[in-house]
Amino acid sequence: MNLGGNAYESRRRKADRLYELDGLRLAAALCVVLYHYAFSGPVGGTTTITYTEISGLAKYGYLGVDLFFLISGFVVLMSAWGRGPRAFVASRLARLYPAYWLGVAVTAAVTVTLGGGLFDVSAVQVLVNLTMVQSVADVPNVDVVYWTLWAELRFYVLILALAWLGMTRGRVMAALWGWLAMTALVQLGVLPGVADLVVQSEFAHYFIAGMALFLVYRFGVTWQTLLLVPLCLANALYRGVGYAEAVGRRYGVEYDPWLVVIVIAAAFLIMTLVALRALPSLARPWLVTAGALTYPLYLLHAHIGFIVIERLGGTMNRWVLLVALVAVMCLAAYAVHRWVERPAAPLIRRLAGPRTPPGATGSPPPVPARPRGAAGRY
């Protein structure tokens, strides 16, 4: 029995939990929910129940996805640090697939039984979607929000490569500079468009900055992070304003570029403060539960919510419907976490075997002291 390794893993779980990130993730998820229910659904013609009073603000809710990617860069590197590739893969499978499989099944079932033709779904489409790589086969998503999971999976491949090589601060920093350089080359047209399948230039700056900020959190500020994070912010602002223009053309609305700049800059500022351990006042243990709702809520809310709004919108007050729907979705997300994710995750992680990196011997390395922590893993 590897008692030393088990004790180390227990200490690591406690040290690596940042409550404030749980709260930020839930806030980002709720922004996306309101974007769909109060803006993209009615403005895009998916639903007929309108919320014109708040749609002007809700239309910026898609920026919650940008915050998701920034947080993901931080917490996924945190989760992978000190792990071998097998343990990292098992942890990501446990994190992504149980809730996703249920989300695909429930969304498909609601679409077929209650959708009334609002969305189309086929058996083949559902089966391919269960792999989470339906984009490779050019099969439509069962739910519109699944596109972000393909971006996450490609990011995980890069983290897996680092885990395979063995993570050190120098190797990760070199990888981040290389990734940012390739992003610039794609945007300048030097690299062919197919390279963007790996580079993900539209969102790479968020993953890169999040990873760099984790290095700040773990090792402190260096001249490289002082340069890298602002460069990522600059590209995020450039691409973010362009993306807002594209969303505006799609829905026939205008976005205030300065507001987009402020929101993106605020996300970077908050994450920088987290990395510098400057937000202890936001750290509350109950936020662990809030963070646990985020992924199931994101998976379940969109198409099911649109269908519910269309079915019930003519029978009850639209504001009561909106509040009740968000509340029910949060309860459903908790149920998925409590009765699907929590039981399934240990079974999948068990496939990983020992969680210490291959070749590790002797006593585990000491865990740097941190001002707060709680059991759990991102």
Side-chain angles (χ1 to χ4, degrees), residues 2 7 20 27 43 66 109 114 164 172 233 244 254 258 260 305 346 350 357-358:
N2 185 12
E20 50 266 57
V43 175
D66 299 55
L114 301 175
W164 192 273
V172 172
L233 171 59
E254 291 186 1
W258 287 109
V260 173
R350 214 166 286 157

Side-chain angles (χ1 to χ4, degrees), residues 26-37:
L26 182 61
L30 290 174
C31 286
V32 175
V33 169
L34 288 178
Y35 169 77
H36 284 135
Y37 291 171

